[in-house]
Amino acid sequence: MTITATALPKSGEEDGTVKYAGIGPLELEAGGFLPDVVLAYETWGQLNAEASNAVLIQHALTGSTHVARGATDEEGWWEQLVGPGATIDTNKFFVISINIVGGCYGSTGPSSEAPDGRPWGSRFPLVTLRDSTEAEARLADALGIDAWHAVLGGSMGGARALEWAVTFPDRVKRCAVISVGAYSTAEQIAFAQAQTLAIRQDPNFNNGDYYGGTAPEHGLALARRIAHITYRSALELDFRFGREAQHQETPLAAAVLGERGRYQVESYLDHQGTKLVRRFDANSYIAITEALMSHDVARGRGPLEQALSRATAEFFVAAVDSDRLYFPAQSRELAAALPGNVPVHLIEAPIGHDGFLTEIGQLSAQLRESFFA
């Protein structure tokens, strides 16, 4: 098997720009097969001679690999944490973020070209988080990274970090799992199924073979609305919108149902759906959502404590106090099952689950002390 990766850049010159690596064929946990997988990734900083300063940051469900702006003008999603002089100081650490297999930001996914020259579409196989970890390990090999100084992420990114620590215990020295538990619960799977079904029932979905035609934008936008409700707290929605009507619209004035105006919160959800449609592929949304459904670090490894006993990393666990998607209780369950005495750090944010993005700076001091001093 031949693995090809872009040569490592000199420090700073290509920070925050997308690179690509071919990692060869990938046999998948659920029985599928991808004959030629490409991973898209971004890096910041420079790998030292010992390859001991590498940090892997895992993106969340619809996140990109653009963690920090680097040499670009585009703001990254963890600017509070990553950059020159930041907690994860890119003058000291070599940071990498990899687009998950199944994604639409450069890695092989449903919209990618299959061997017959057509997009994979409905033929794209089920990819689990363990599959994505295997793929990322091959990229690490190609870059000369035998072990990570730290692997961390929030939400699905945290699930991916945890899977790394258990699947490759000798390759992860430190692991930060933020705003996610040890497995996807029945409720989380239920929310996810509603989202994927919204896309599949769009008249334009065509069983996933919509490329070259009209994309299932309405279904994808509806999926995002469902998801976004779980990303924000009831308190925040009430505080921001209450029962107010959208400007120049009248929710309680309509001769027929189809002419009713919107409440502000409805307009907000419409906006969130429209934004995602502009940047994301519907098939990738299904593929990655179902990968997250597969999240269960103990699957096939015995009881949770036994499964986690494989890990040798130092752990950092954190939750958002107002999270109603991945409840803090799940973080506490994970921490209690991990080897040693692992505390649960709390992000205090009324916003809900998305606090792992907007308020990540609250963990800067604790992460610096624990992992990045």
Side-chain angles (χ1 to χ4, degrees):
M1 177 176 61
T2 301
I3 300 177
T4 57
T6 305
L8 292 176
K10 294 180 181 179
S11 181
E13 69 178 15
E14 294 181 15
D15 283 6
T17 59
V18 180
K19 308 167 186 65
Y20 302 91
I23 63 162
L26 193 62
E27 293 188 6
L28 303 170
E29 183 183 7
F33 178 74
L34 289 170
D36 187 17
V37 174
V38 172
L39 293 181
Y41 64 103
E42 296 183 35
T43 64
W44 299 260
Q46 189 169 20
L47 190 66
N48 63 20
E50 299 79 20
S52 62
N53 68 334
V55 176
L56 175 61
I57 297 181
Q58 302 281 45
H59 67 78
L61 187 75
T62 58
S64 71
T65 54
H66 198 61
V67 175
R69 66 188 71 207
T72 75
D73 294 327
E74 181 185 355
E75 184 178 3
W77 46 265
W78 258 6
E79 291 277 331
Q80 298 176 57
L81 212 59
V82 179
T87 298
I88 308 176
D89 187 349
T90 51
N91 292 325
K92 181 178 179 181
F93 295 100
F94 176 68
V95 177
I96 180 168
S97 183
I98 306 169
N99 184 222
I100 193 170
V101 178
C104 56
Y105 286 120
S107 290
T108 297
S111 62
S112 302
E113 189 176 284
D116 63 0
R118 297 184 293 116
W120 279 100
S122 62
R123 300 171 294 164
F124 193 77
L126 173 64
V127 178
T128 68
L129 295 190
R130 290 188 192 175
D131 294 324
S132 69
T133 301
E134 171 62 33
E136 291 160 7
R138 293 190 196 173
L139 176 57
D141 292 340
L143 297 177
I145 300 168
D146 294 328
W148 299 103
H149 173 88
V151 181
L152 64 160
S155 193
M156 186 184 77
R160 296 166 69 194
L162 181 62
E163 191 62 53
W164 249 102
V166 175
T167 301
F168 297 106
D170 57 334
R171 304 191 69 167
V172 180
K173 296 180 180 178
R174 299 163 186 85
C175 180
V177 183
I178 302 168
S179 299
V180 73
Y183 51 87
S184 291
T185 66
E187 181 180 59
Q188 288 148 9
I189 293 170
F191 279 128
Q193 192 258 7
Q195 294 166 51
T196 59
L197 194 60
I199 297 171
R200 288 186 165 113
Q201 291 188 340
D202 186 302
N204 293 319
F205 182 62
N206 193 32
N207 197 35
D209 295 318
Y210 51 81
Y211 302 109
T214 303
E217 295 185 352
H218 293 300
L220 179 57
L222 178 55
R224 184 61 164 186
R225 289 178 179 88
I226 297 167
H228 203 78
I229 294 168
T230 71
Y231 298 161
R232 300 297 173 119
S233 70
L235 178 65
E236 193 229 3
L237 294 177
D238 283 338
F239 177 79
R240 289 182 63 182
F241 307 112
R243 292 187 49 78
E244 295 300 314
Q246 177 63 7
H247 181 62
Q248 294 185 334
E249 295 190 32
T250 50
L252 295 178
V256 295
L257 289 173
E259 295 177 0
R260 180 183 68 81
R262 297 172 298 172
Y263 293 96
Q264 284 186 4
V265 70
E266 294 177 285
S267 175
Y268 170 70
L269 293 174
D270 290 346
H271 173 67
Q272 295 300 325
T274 299
K275 279 204 309 182
L276 186 73
V277 163
R278 291 172 182 160
R279 68 176 178 88
F280 217 80
D281 176 58
N283 273 328
S284 280
Y285 194 98
I286 292 173
I288 300 173
T289 297
E290 295 189 349
L292 184 53
M293 284 184 185
S294 80
H295 172 49
D296 179 4
V297 76
R299 185 177 66 255
R301 294 167 173 162
L304 182 58
E305 287 191 14
Q306 178 181 325
L308 294 175
S309 70
R310 299 161 54 103
T312 58
E314 176 185 351
F315 278 91
F316 182 102
V317 176
V320 178
D321 62 354
S322 60
D323 198 335
R324 62 174 175 176
L325 177 57
Y326 292 99
F327 295 99
Q330 292 177 258
S331 296
R332 291 193 290 269
E333 178 192 31
L334 169 62
L338 284 166
N341 183 19
V342 180
V344 176
H345 303 270
L346 276 183
I347 296 173
E348 297 179 356
I351 193 174
H353 180 66
D354 274 354
F356 85 90
L357 289 170
T358 63
E359 303 298 329
I360 192 63
Q362 290 186 30
L363 300 180
S364 290
Q366 295 99 313
L367 280 168
R368 188 188 298 270
E369 180 181 354
S370 299
F371 286 6
F372 303 107

